[in-house]
Amino acid sequence: MKIFEPKLFTTLKGYRKKQLIDDLIAGLIVAIIALPLSIALAIASGVGPEKGLYTAIVAGFVIALFGGSRVNISGPTAAFATIVAGIVATEGLDGLVIATILAGILLVLFGICRLGSLIKYIPFTITTGFTAGIAVTIIIGQLKDFFGLTPAPGTNAVETIEKIEMLAESFSTFNWQSFLVGALSLAILIVWPRISKKIPGSLVVVLLGSLAVNLLGMKVNTIGDLYQISSALPTPAFPAFTLDRVLHLLPNALTIALLAAIESLLSCVVSDGMIDDRHNSNTELIAQGLGNICSGLFGGIPATGAIARTAANVKNGGRSPIAGMVHAVVLLLILVVLMPFAAWIPMPVIAAILLMVAYNMSEWRRFVRICKTASAADILVLVVTFVLTVVFDLVVAIAAGLILAAFLFLKKSADLAEVREWKADRRDGKQVPYGTVVYEIHGPMFFAASDKFLQFPIHEDTRVMIVRMSDVSMLDSTAEQNVERVCEVCKRNGVKLLLAHVNPQPMETLRRCGIVERLGEDAFCAHIDDAIARAERILKAGENAADANAQKAESETETEGRCLK
C-alpha cells in the first residue's frame, strides 16, 4: 500500500452520473447536520461560532480531497472541545493556531513514517475510557449554560474540577427560563429520531429555540449576547512563530495530533465496515495533517474524522470523497448567507445539543459491559484512563493507560509461560531412556518470564537433558543469557544439553549469540523423537566408554599382578 494515494483519484475511475447525484444529496444532508454541530462545538471550545464553520469548510474540503477514505467526513468534533478550550484559556487564540498547525505537521510526519497501522496497538479499553471521559467533561462544561448560571466576575474555570466548583458556587443564579429552553430542547432531541430521520433534530431545536426565545422575549442568553458574529470568508493569517513558543506549545500539539489520528482512523475503520472497503491509513493521516494546517492558517480549530457525520454520509448514499467536498461547499454558502441569524440561537439550545452529543459518544453501555464481562486487568485500564481523562487531560490518560496495559499484559504473558517436566518414563507414547530428563517450555521467553529457563533441576542420575521448545515463539536477550547459564550448569555437571523443536526466531537469537556454535549443530533436533534417539546414542556411547575403561583398568591390574610375581 502506497504512503500517499488519495481515494478521490482512485474512485473517479468509472465514476457515474448516478453516483454523482447520490454524493451531492449526501453532501447536502451532512452539511445540514454539521451546521449546528460546528457552531456548538466552536462555542464549547471557547472560540467564536464562525470558527467551527471555518474548520468544517477548510479542513473538511482538504481532508476529503486528499484523504485515504472514500466516505470519511472531517470537521470539529466533541473530542477536541475541552482540549481546545484549555489551550484558548491559557495560550490565547494565537497559541491555538500555532498548536493546530504544529499538530498538522506532526500528523503529516506520522503518515510519512507509516505510523497509521499503530492504531491497532491502542487497546479497546483505553479508547473506550478516554472517550467516556471526554463525554463527562463536555457534560460538566455545558451545565452552566443549560441552567443559565452566572459565575462570579473573574471566574476562569478551565479544568474539570474547577468547573465543578464554579457550578456549586454559582448555582444560586439558576435561571428557570434557560433551564426550560434547555430541557425542552433536550427532550426534542431525544424524541425527534422517532419522528423523522431525514431532518436532523439539532436543526429543529435551533430553529424552534431561536424563534421561541426571540419572539417571547425570554431572558435567556443567545450567541449574539456572548459572541460577535461574523459572516466573512475565512482568510489566511500567519501567527508569529518563535522557537520558544513552538517548544512551549509542542505538548498541546502532540495531544491534538494523537487524538486526531485516533479519532480519524477509528472513523475510517467504522466506515470501511459500512461500505465494504479498505482505507489507506497513512494517506488519511497525511490528509488530516494537511487539513489541520489549513484550518489553523484560516482561523479554524483542530479537525478530525467525525464518526456520526461519516455514518450519515454513508446512509444517505455518499460513496466518494465528492460528498465530503460538497458538504464543505454547502457550509461555505451557509456561512455567507445565513451566519448573521446564528446570533439568535439560545445558549441553552447549544448546551442541549452538546449534551446529546456527549451522551452518544460516551457509549456508556459498552463501558458497563466491559466492567461486567472483562478481566480485572482490562477493567483497571478502563477505569484509570477514564478517571485521568476527567481529572487531568488526555495525554496523561492515554500514556498512563498504555503503560498500565503494557505492564499487565507482560505480567499475564509471564504467568502463562511455564516449564513442565516429563514425570513418567513414557510421555505421548514416547519411551524416555534412563538417565534422560525432558522439559517442555510453554509460552514466549522474554525478560518478564526468562527466569523459567532456570527452573531445570539436574537429578543425580541425569546424563542428558532435552528441552522441548515447540511452544516458544520468541526469545529475547534476557532469556538468552539464562540459556547460557543453563549451558554452563550442564557442562559443570557432565550433562549433555539437547534442544528440540526450536522455532525460527529463538534459533536465530541463539545462533547470533554463539550458543549454537558452543553446543554444536548436533545438539539441535528438529523433533522430540530425534532428540530421544540422540540421547540414546549418547547414553550408549557413554556405557561403551565406561565398559572400555573398566576393561582397560582390569587389564592393567592383571598385568601389574604378573609383574609382581
Side-chain angles (χ1 to χ4, degrees):
M1 186 177 289
K2 296 180 180 179
I3 292 179
F4 188 63
E5 189 178 28
K7 283 287 185 177
L8 176 64
F9 305 138
T10 57
T11 54
L12 286 181
K13 297 175 183 178
Y15 196 68
R16 298 287 185 269
K17 180 180 178 181
K18 180 181 182 304
Q19 186 56 61
L20 174 62
I21 295 173
D22 290 341
D23 286 337
L24 290 173
I25 294 173
L28 175 63
I29 293 173
V30 172
I32 294 173
I33 295 172
L35 173 63
L37 287 177
S38 298
I39 293 174
L41 292 169
I43 292 172
S45 301
V47 298
E50 72 280 358
K51 302 289 186 182
L53 290 181
Y54 291 172
T55 307
I57 293 167
V58 177
F61 188 90
V62 171
I63 295 171
L65 177 62
F66 297 112
S69 169
R70 289 168 54 188
V71 295
N72 207 21
I73 301 294
S74 297
T77 64
F80 282 123
T82 54
I83 296 171
V84 173
I87 296 174
V88 172
T90 57
E91 308 296 339
L93 288 176
D94 283 347
L96 174 62
V97 170
I98 294 174
T100 303
I101 295 173
L102 289 175
I105 295 172
L106 289 174
L107 284 165
V108 172
L109 293 176
F110 289 171
I112 293 174
C113 295
R114 298 178 180 271
L115 299 182
S117 60
L118 292 183
I119 184 71
K120 65 185 178 184
Y121 294 108
I122 299 179
F124 179 71
T125 48
I126 291 180
T127 57
T128 303
F130 78 68
T131 301
I134 291 172
V136 170
T137 59
I138 291 172
I139 291 172
I140 293 172
Q142 296 309 306
L143 293 180
K144 176 179 74 70
D145 290 327
F146 190 80
F147 293 119
L149 307 182
T150 305
T155 302
N156 186 25
V158 177
E159 301 295 335
T160 303
I161 302 301
E162 295 174 344
K163 291 177 181 178
I164 294 174
E165 293 174 352
M166 178 269 294
L167 291 172
E169 293 171 357
S170 61
F171 203 78
S172 58
T173 63
F174 174 82
N175 183 335
W176 69 268
Q177 293 184 352
S178 293
F179 175 70
L180 179 62
V181 172
L184 290 175
S185 299
L186 189 59
I188 292 173
L189 289 170
I190 295 171
V191 175
W192 187 258
R194 301 179 183 177
I195 300 174
S196 172
K197 294 184 178 180
K198 294 294 184 181
I199 303 173
S202 56
L203 184 63
V204 173
V205 295
V206 163
L207 294 174
L208 293 179
S210 300
L211 290 173
V213 169
N214 288 278
L215 293 179
L216 299 177
M218 301 178 72
K219 295 181 179 180
V220 175
N221 283 334
T222 63
I223 292 179
D225 295 330
L226 303 179
Y227 299 93
Q228 185 176 355
I229 303 296
S230 173
S231 59
L233 295 175
T235 55
F238 298 89
F241 280 84
T242 63
L243 181 59
D244 291 341
R245 188 77 162 146
V246 168
L247 293 176
H248 177 67
L249 289 168
L250 196 56
N252 289 322
L254 181 60
T255 302
I256 295 171
L258 287 175
L259 185 55
I262 294 170
E263 287 285 308
S264 61
L265 295 181
L266 285 176
S267 178
C268 288
V269 170
V270 172
S271 64
D272 282 351
M274 297 177 72
I275 63 173
D276 193 23
D277 191 41
R278 184 181 179 187
H279 72 281
N280 185 320
S281 57
N282 295 311
T283 299
E284 183 65 21
L285 289 180
I286 293 174
Q288 291 290 335
L290 296 174
N292 276 279
I293 292 171
C294 294
S295 178
L297 291 175
F298 282 86
I301 59 178
T304 187
I307 296 177
R309 275 159 272 174
T310 299
N313 179 34
V314 173
K315 291 177 181 177
N316 287 282
R319 290 296 182 275
S320 82
I322 297 294
M325 299 164 70
V326 169
H327 132 269
V329 172
V330 171
L331 287 176
L332 178 64
L333 297 175
I334 292 174
L335 171 69
V336 174
V337 178
L338 300 178
M339 195 58 188
F341 296 102
W344 292 8
I345 303 175
M347 294 303 296
V349 172
I350 295 295
I353 293 173
L354 290 171
L355 289 175
M356 199 67 190
V357 169
Y359 174 82
N360 290 330
M361 75 175 288
S362 69
E363 296 185 327
W364 64 270
R365 291 182 180 86
R366 180 181 296 173
F367 193 102
V368 172
R369 185 169 68 251
I370 292 174
C371 291
K372 288 182 177 179
T373 61
S375 65
D378 287 337
I379 295 172
L380 180 61
V381 172
L382 173 73
V383 173
V384 166
T385 306
F386 169 76
V387 172
L388 291 179
T389 301
V390 175
V391 176
F392 294 102
D393 59 48
L394 191 65
V395 171
V396 173
I398 293 178
L402 284 173
I403 293 171
L404 181 60
F407 273 114
L408 291 173
F409 174 77
L410 291 175
K411 184 182 183 304
K412 185 183 295 183
S413 299
D415 291 342
L416 291 174
E418 61 176 338
V419 173
R420 299 175 186 170
E421 180 182 356
W422 286 16
K423 294 295 184 182
D425 288 339
R426 298 180 66 86
R427 178 68 180 260
D428 297 338
K430 298 173 175 58
Q431 181 73 39
V432 180
Y434 180 80
T436 301
V437 63
V438 179
Y439 293 103
E440 286 184 281
I441 304 177
H442 297 271
M445 289 293 110
F446 61 105
F447 60 90
S450 61
D451 62 328
K452 306 292 183 180
F453 265 117
L454 303 178
Q455 299 177 7
F456 297 147
I458 297 179
H459 307 301
E460 185 177 349
D461 57 350
T462 300
R463 294 293 175 263
V464 179
M465 178 189 292
I466 300 174
V467 180
R468 192 180 191 186
M469 299 177 61
S470 58
D471 287 338
V472 179
S473 57
M474 64 86 64
L475 185 145
D476 71 356
S477 58
T478 306
E480 170 256 309
Q481 293 293 327
N482 287 342
V483 175
E484 289 189 355
R485 294 172 64 182
V486 172
C487 293
E488 293 172 0
V489 171
C490 288
K491 185 177 180 180
R492 285 199 306 267
N493 288 273
V495 175
K496 179 65 176 179
L497 177 62
L498 302 178
L499 302 179
H501 293 283
V502 183
N503 289 308
Q505 192 278 336
M507 190 67 180
E508 178 61 27
T509 302
L510 296 175
R511 191 181 300 279
R512 191 168 56 247
C513 69
I515 290 179
V516 174
E517 183 180 357
R518 183 185 310 172
L519 294 178
E521 292 285 349
D522 61 346
F524 291 84
C525 305
H527 194 272
I528 186 64
D529 293 337
D530 300 332
I532 292 175
R534 172 71 177 148
E536 290 174 343
R537 291 194 296 271
I538 292 171
L539 292 170
K540 186 174 182 180
E543 290 174 359
N544 292 336
D547 291 342
N549 289 334
Q551 291 176 3
K552 182 178 179 182
E554 183 179 349
S555 176
E556 289 176 351
T557 302
E558 290 177 356
T559 302
E560 183 179 348
R562 285 195 297 269
C563 291
L564 289 174
K565 290 179 180 180

